[in-house]
Amino acid sequence: MDEIGGSILDRVPPTALTLTLTRSAIRMQHSSLWRIEKENPVEDLVIALEGRGDYLIGGARVTLEPGEAMLLRRGEGFTGWNEGEGLYTGLAQHFTLGIYGDTDLVAQMDLRRKVRLSRWDELAPLIRSYRESAPPNSVTLMQHHLFMVFLIAFIDDAFLGWRHGGAVPLDGAAAIDLAVMKAAAQISTAPLDPEVAAQAVKDAPYNADYFHRAFRDRLGRTPRQYQEYCRMERAMSLLERGMSPSQVAGEIGYGDPYYFSRAFKRQMGISPRGHQQRVKRAQDGQVMGMDEADQARALEEG
């Protein structure tokens, strides 16, 4: 069975993030004469499309080939060159990613330097279009939208974990908001792990009782309740794939399908069979001609 998983940033409120493209896209097209030695004041995501680029970063050599992406962190010196006979082409985009104001979200993460993008087949045409359509001296709204897609894809493949305490010390509401976001992300990406909620609380740099209250105040659920909710979201995805409720129960760790059905209805307000019927009605277009209130009633009846 294919793994159903979410992005590490799935649980971040959109209003909490601030993506800034600090300059127009760099359309890399480098011959064997190309050589660069510099340091950027912001993050730089580099994606290779053709050929091969070589980099020296902190004494370590990194080679970038088609389908691979690399993050250069702010303030990090590097040297780049092309040893091949053909052109080395790709895309480089300078950016900053903030959360809850000016907090640097990238600095809070441990990320692999380089990854082969797992969704390359679907991303490659978008990246080529982004590169070709980017204005030479400006940034567009569409670029912001597409680059966030590329960046999330990179983070999902490169993410190793949250840095304890982060790279930048925080105080007050921003600090607890960020800690709750990290815990929610940790739980939502591994809801079938029986210890994930307890581990997320343990990893938070706060007293456990205080953090439980802060988590509940912000998300409306305790960490364990939130894990169970994420577990049922996983069940919903499996049900929508056509699996039977009893099959789904086994997949998410319930030995008793009847108990799973009760737990699912308690969390989602509808039985597993009812959810499948509701999805089918929507797919068949039976609710598309209604207004919002009528649609809501019709879907609830499923």
Side-chain angles (χ1 to χ4, degrees):
M1 186 193 73
D2 294 336
E3 176 68 14
I4 298 175
S7 165
I8 195 66
L9 300 181
D10 267 356
R11 305 298 162 153
V12 180
T15 54
L17 288 176
T18 304
L19 173 66
T20 303
L21 306 186
T22 59
R23 59 155 294 169
S24 56
I26 301 171
R27 304 178 186 181
M28 302 190 314
Q29 187 164 322
H30 304 314
S31 71
S32 59
L33 299 178
W34 171 69
R35 185 177 179 87
I36 187 172
E37 186 172 348
K38 66 179 299 187
E39 175 184 307
N40 296 319
V42 295
E43 270 70 46
D44 186 8
L45 184 65
V46 184
I47 305 173
L49 288 169
E50 297 172 358
R52 191 186 84 177
D54 287 283
Y55 297 84
L56 189 64
I57 312 164
R61 182 166 175 167
V62 180
T63 297
L64 208 60
E65 297 182 332
E68 295 180 334
M70 172 181 70
L71 178 70
L72 296 166
R73 291 182 180 267
R74 64 179 67 187
E76 191 170 52
F78 68 95
T79 302
W81 68 96
N82 175 13
E83 286 188 354
E85 296 181 358
L87 290 176
Y88 166 46
T89 67
L91 170 73
Q93 181 67 67
H94 294 189
F95 72 96
T96 63
L97 184 64
I99 187 167
Y100 299 119
D102 296 328
T103 302
D104 180 2
L105 181 56
V106 175
Q108 306 293 324
M109 301 176 178
D110 280 325
L111 299 168
R112 293 182 180 88
R113 165 74 66 193
K114 180 190 80 169
V115 298
R116 178 166 294 279
L117 294 169
S118 60
R119 294 166 51 204
W120 181 246
D121 287 347
E122 62 182 279
L123 289 173
L126 295 176
I127 292 167
R128 292 181 187 277
S129 175
Y130 182 98
R131 180 181 182 275
E132 296 305 319
S133 64
N137 297 305
S138 63
V139 173
T140 67
L141 179 61
M142 184 58 73
Q143 280 182 277
H144 273 82
H145 172 72
L146 280 177
F147 184 72
M148 181 62 88
V149 173
F150 307 155
L151 182 57
I152 289 174
F154 173 81
I155 289 173
D156 285 345
D157 288 335
F159 187 79
L160 295 171
W162 296 106
R163 292 183 172 179
H164 291 289
V168 180
L170 302 175
D171 295 311
I176 190 64
D177 285 345
L178 185 61
V180 169
M181 184 277 292
K182 289 180 179 180
Q186 186 174 347
I187 292 168
S188 66
T189 52
L192 306 189
D193 178 354
E195 303 301 324
V196 69
Q199 188 62 49
V201 173
K202 183 179 178 181
D203 290 345
Y206 293 96
N207 171 273
D209 290 338
Y210 171 75
F211 188 70
H212 268 95
R213 291 194 300 272
F215 192 102
R216 185 189 59 215
D217 289 347
R218 286 159 176 78
L219 297 184
R221 294 176 170 88
T222 67
R224 287 195 180 278
Q225 290 169 342
Y226 184 73
Q227 178 182 356
E228 187 65 8
Y229 180 77
C230 293
R231 198 177 177 195
M232 293 306 162
E233 285 188 321
R234 181 74 59 92
M236 290 178 74
S237 295
L238 295 172
L239 289 166
E240 291 164 15
R241 290 185 172 192
M243 294 180 67
S244 69
S246 60
Q247 289 174 318
V248 173
E251 287 290 337
I252 68 167
Y254 279 86
D256 184 347
Y258 177 70
Y259 183 70
F260 159 67
S261 293
R262 291 181 58 190
F264 186 93
K265 187 169 184 177
R266 184 172 61 251
Q267 287 286 342
M268 301 304 181
I270 191 171
S271 70
R273 290 287 185 196
H275 176 67
Q276 287 182 316
Q277 293 167 3
R278 182 169 65 181
V279 170
K280 186 177 187 305
R281 293 183 66 189
Q283 290 172 339
D284 292 344
Q286 297 179 33
V287 299
M288 296 306 292
M290 306 175 186
D291 63 21
E292 287 89 341
D294 289 337
Q295 281 192 25
R297 283 192 292 272
L299 290 173
E300 285 303 320
E301 289 172 1

